[in-house]
Amino acid sequence: TIIGGNFFINWDDMPDATSYNVYASENPYGTFTLIANVPVSEYTYTQVGTHKKMFFCISGVNNSKEQPKTIEIPKKGK
């Protein structure tokens, strides 16, 4: 969702996660960079003006251990 010129993203809570790592990339097949660690299942990305497209990946963290990152990109027509 775009709110006030920023991207607001939210996701379902992950079981046993105590925080979430938020990764971003301009390319869905490129390298994702850690941009934030948040304690709740939402994040507002404020650097929208510099990017035409942005892709996000979220992983849950518990006791300093991070769940594996997965990226799902739907194929056209599916």
Side-chain angles (χ1 to χ4, degrees):
T1 306
I2 297 177
I3 299 175
N6 299 317
F7 289 136
F8 174 75
I9 57 176
N10 63 344
W11 53 91
D12 292 335
D13 289 336
M14 295 177 193
D16 300 321
T18 55
S19 67
Y20 301 92
N21 284 341
V22 181
Y23 295 84
S25 175
E26 291 184 43
N27 178 344
Y29 303 104
T31 301
F32 280 73
T33 302
L34 177 65
I35 59 171
N37 176 271
V38 295
V40 295
S41 55
E42 62 183 46
Y43 178 73
T44 301
Y45 184 74
T46 59
Q47 300 174 12
V48 175
T50 60
H51 306 285
K52 290 184 180 182
K53 287 185 182 178
M54 212 57 189
F55 298 87
F56 297 94
C57 176
I58 311 300
S59 67
V61 178
N62 185 333
N63 296 327
S64 300
K65 295 181 181 177
E66 183 176 13
Q67 298 172 352
K69 294 181 288 297
T70 57
I71 301 170
E72 182 177 324
I73 300 172
K75 293 186 179 184
K76 246 184 176 178
K78 297 229 173 186

